Amino acid sequence: TGSLLLSFFGYRRMGAEKEDRYTQLVLQGEAAGESGDYEAAVALYDQAIELFSTKLPAYYQKLLAYERQGEYQACVQYGRAVLTNPGLEPEMANNPEQAADLYFMIGNAWFEQENYVKAAQYYQEAVACGLDTDSISLVKAELDLSAGQWQKAAQAFMEVVQSTASETLRQRAYILCARAYRLGQNPEQEIAVLEEARGTVAPEKSGPVLTALASAYMRRAQTEKGDLQADCTRALECYQLVLSQGNHSAAVRLNMAALHQMLAQYEEAEAILLELQAELPEDYRPYMRLAILYGTEENSKAEGQRDFTKVQENYEKAVAYYQKAKNEGISDAEMQVLETMMQQVIDGGWLYRD
């Protein structure tokens, strides 16, 4: 009997240690995510999931990491896998609030991709699971925005900013309010809202605000109302702050490369893209952007000095790796931009296709 008791209590102690380890991994992942090191955060969440594949917190935090990086397609794909995981059904049934948060986050990811029908479906599921009052207000405003009622939505988002006690919801409401002004073609107000958010949200929540602000300046730089040099410089300053917070995601660096290209700072853009290419050798995006960069640079030269060899090399790799991405459900309009550019190069007699 004594040995049986020892075995029982030993098992109990091992179970408690495993629980503690799981909690530690999730907390460490959250800390890494808050500092902007999303790659480390995801790795920690994966370790936690290996310990307990039937607990929701690590899955939720991993989705949150994808969303904060702007990896919305990955967020949707992984979110679907979580929701259809039979092993998580008991946990979701026993924790409807956590389930609501999962649906809400996937809805946000669809919304960011401007698929408002899909977003609405997930938001409705989130409400059915018992989403909290402020989040429901946010959902209603997002649905107004998807219906084109951007002024009504902007007002509702600011009401959430003023009423919520949640830093996370306040941050999101600011970002969505800015999006409402963007859809209303009011870049000045979009930037004003994000500048206000930049000085208001908690420092550890400022990363997504800075990323949205950089994107707003980047878009305005390409309009008649924008100042190319000033707006691109402000956008780069925002991204530098994001980098200083530890967020070295591909999305951030790809946008920085694009800004350098817009400023005709080709060497700076190339350096960023070559670094990404080395880190992500099977990701089509660095090859695609390098092909576009080299094409832009060659077109700026006198005709007798043009050489499109590097354009072709990167184009071929981009096409090959993009096919793999397409098979996984990814679609990228920039690939069509590259295809159009390549056709112009071929039509101009600079390159030949086999």
Side-chain angles (χ1 to χ4, degrees), residues 61-306:
Q61 293 297 336
K62 186 174 177 179
L63 275 176
L64 190 59
Y66 284 136
E67 185 189 34
R68 286 178 174 173
Q69 290 181 87
E71 299 286 353
Y72 301 118
Q73 290 181 328
C75 185
V76 166
Q77 290 172 350
Y78 190 69
R80 283 171 162 172
V82 171
L83 293 175
T84 55
N85 183 341
L88 290 171
E89 289 178 3
E91 181 86 348
M92 292 181 68
N94 293 329
N95 297 280
E97 289 183 1
Q98 288 187 4
D101 287 339
L102 288 173
Y103 281 110
F104 182 54
M105 200 183 312
I106 298 168
N108 290 340
W110 278 121
F111 192 93
E112 294 293 342
Q113 296 175 82
E114 301 184 9
N115 190 326
Y116 302 124
V117 173
K118 287 285 189 182
Q121 291 172 358
Y122 280 92
Y123 287 147
Q124 288 162 2
E125 291 286 351
V127 171
C129 288
L131 206 61
D132 64 86
T133 303
D134 284 333
S135 294
I136 288 174
S137 297
L138 209 60
V139 164
K140 289 179 178 177
E142 289 183 81
L143 293 175
D144 285 335
L145 186 55
S146 69
Q149 300 177 22
W150 66 270
Q151 290 171 310
K152 180 182 177 182
Q155 181 178 349
F157 288 135
M158 288 308 295
E159 288 173 0
V160 173
V161 165
Q162 294 159 9
S163 67
T164 187
S166 166
E167 283 293 334
T168 299
L169 286 182
R170 180 176 292 107
Q171 173 219 72
R172 178 149 189 84
Y174 267 126
I175 291 171
L176 287 169
C177 183
R179 173 180 276 254
Y181 284 117
R182 173 156 71 91
L183 293 180
Q185 298 182 354
N186 190 336
E188 284 69 32
Q189 195 60 41
E190 175 191 8
I191 288 171
V193 166
L194 290 169
E195 286 286 8
E196 178 183 324
R198 180 182 184 179
T200 304
V201 301
E204 66 271 16
K205 300 288 185 183
S206 66
V209 172
L210 289 167
T211 300
L213 183 57
S215 296
Y217 278 125
M218 189 174 179
R219 282 191 298 273
R220 191 174 72 174
Q222 301 171 75
T223 68
E224 291 182 0
K225 294 182 179 180
D227 181 319
L228 180 68
Q229 184 72 36
D231 285 338
C232 285
T233 300
R234 291 189 185 101
L236 282 167
E237 288 171 354
C238 289
Y239 281 132
Q240 286 293 348
L241 287 171
V242 172
L243 289 178
S244 72
Q245 293 177 348
N247 180 358
H248 295 263
S249 69
V252 167
R253 288 185 285 167
L254 284 167
N255 282 338
M256 292 182 74
L259 285 160
H260 284 300
Q261 180 175 335
M262 288 166 64
L263 292 170
Q265 297 170 352
Y266 299 131
E267 290 184 6
E268 290 87 343
E270 181 186 35
I272 293 171
L273 293 172
L274 288 174
E275 182 179 59
L276 279 169
Q277 188 184 79
E279 292 176 17
L280 306 168
E282 295 188 1
D283 188 324
Y284 73 93
R285 293 174 298 175
Y287 300 105
M288 174 187 73
R289 291 290 187 86
L290 277 167
I292 293 172
L293 171 67
Y294 291 139
T296 302
E297 189 174 6
E298 293 305 316
N299 280 326
S300 69
K301 298 177 182 178
E303 288 193 6
Q305 298 176 342
R306 295 177 186 175

Side-chain angles (χ1 to χ4, degrees), residues 274-346:
L274 288 174
E275 182 179 59
L276 279 169
Q277 188 184 79
E279 292 176 17
L280 306 168
E282 295 188 1
D283 188 324
Y284 73 93
R285 293 174 298 175
Y287 300 105
M288 174 187 73
R289 291 290 187 86
L290 277 167
I292 293 172
L293 171 67
Y294 291 139
T296 302
E297 189 174 6
E298 293 305 316
N299 280 326
S300 69
K301 298 177 182 178
E303 288 193 6
Q305 298 176 342
R306 295 177 186 175
D307 181 355
F308 289 88
T309 304
K310 289 195 291 186
V311 177
Q312 186 172 26
E313 290 172 354
N314 283 279
Y315 165 77
E316 290 173 354
K317 290 179 180 178
V319 169
Y321 289 121
Y322 182 57
Q323 186 57 53
K324 181 181 177 182
K326 282 175 68 177
N327 294 340
E328 295 172 356
I330 292 173
S331 177
D332 192 332
E334 279 194 273
M335 281 299 294
Q336 186 55 53
V337 173
L338 176 57
E339 289 287 358
T340 300
M341 187 194 77
M342 283 298 295
Q343 191 59 53
Q344 290 171 348
V345 171
I346 291 165

